[in-house]
Amino acid sequence: MSRRLGVLISGRGSNLQSIVDAIARGDLNASIAVVISNRAEAGGLERARAAGIETAVLRTRDYPDRPSYDRALVAVLQSHGVDLVCLAGFMRLVGAPLLEAFPQRILNIHPSLLPSFPGLEAPAQALAYGVAVSGATVHLVDAGLDEGPIVAQAAVPVLADDTEASLAARILVEEHRLYPRAIATVLEGGWRVEGRRFVNPTPEA
Ligand code: GRF
């Protein structure tokens, strides 16, 4: 697999920043070929520009339907030679055109231990449910919402006095460690998917 990443964002882009920083430190042997946002005001676009990374804004309202939007995403990603797509707070379901163009080549990060608490406001869901442990998950993307084989997870304890904000902030610290490592694992290759399982016989030390 080539080591050219395409990062898709919708918001502040702190996970994008963690990938940028891991590459700069030499912890992740890859480059970000393009950052794409569905929102022109996403803070992550500024982070990308500051790092000298090409950006593109593709607004859903400029496309008649989801498949044409997804085809436009594919065109931008392919024109930048992207081989691995990293969703980093991209608030849209990925449709068939993107999945077919990048089979087992799309990653997502989610702020819970999946399959618990998919969807929006996962830290609030974890608090409301009363779990003692939550965390972060990086997974291969398939057609479901926050589904797909799990590449890596990190656990975060829920504290008695946690608020949604405090729990989300502690999970985010783990997200920033987890995502660059999981990307490195996927780029390294040697893994396969068996049913739901991401099987990696030679995980990184
Ligand atoms: C993160 O919590 C990520 O897990 C979720 O959306 C949030 C994005 O944050 N998918 P950021 O834009 O990377 O700061």
Side-chain angles (χ1 to χ4, degrees), residues 1-196:
M1 190 186 307
S2 89
R3 293 182 168 271
R4 291 172 67 80
L5 310 178
V7 183
L8 272 52
I9 63 169
S10 299
R12 68 190 162 186
S14 71
N15 278 287
L16 162 66
Q17 189 71 56
S18 77
I19 299 167
V20 168
D21 294 346
I23 292 170
R25 283 196 308 270
D27 288 347
L28 175 58
N29 177 14
S31 63
I32 302 178
V34 64
V35 169
I36 307 174
S37 174
N38 63 328
R39 294 175 58 235
E41 61 277 24
L45 287 170
E46 197 39 55
R47 296 178 189 265
R49 290 184 200 114
I53 299 165
E54 247 191 87
T55 62
V57 175
L58 296 188
R59 296 178 309 177
T60 50
R61 65 168 177 265
D62 293 337
Y63 298 87
D65 51 29
R66 267 188 51 180
S68 38
Y69 182 78
D70 277 18
R71 281 195 293 273
L73 283 177
V74 169
V76 174
L77 291 164
Q78 288 181 339
S79 74
H80 286 83
V82 165
D83 206 33
L84 181 65
V85 180
C86 303
L87 310 185
F90 186 61
M91 304 298 283
R92 286 185 54 81
L93 266 179
V94 166
L98 199 58
L99 291 167
E100 283 161 15
F102 294 94
Q104 294 189 353
R105 294 289 182 272
I106 308 175
L107 288 174
N108 182 43
I109 185 154
H110 182 76
S112 76
L113 293 177
L114 290 171
S116 292
F117 315 129
L120 294 175
E121 294 168 359
Q125 291 186 54
L127 269 186
Y129 197 93
V131 292
V133 179
S134 191
T137 302
V138 176
H139 63 95
L140 295 174
V141 172
D142 63 17
L145 172 66
D146 298 324
E147 290 181 8
I150 289 169
V151 177
Q153 292 187 303
V156 173
V158 179
L159 307 180
D161 59 353
D162 258 333
T163 61
E164 178 185 357
S166 66
L167 178 59
R170 288 208 316 291
I171 292 173
L172 197 62
V173 171
E174 293 305 320
E175 291 185 44
H176 296 162
R177 293 196 185 113
L178 191 68
Y179 209 2
R181 288 211 313 264
I183 292 167
T185 297
V186 169
L187 288 175
E188 218 45 57
W191 49 268
R192 63 188 186 278
V193 171
E194 282 178 10
R196 279 212 42 85

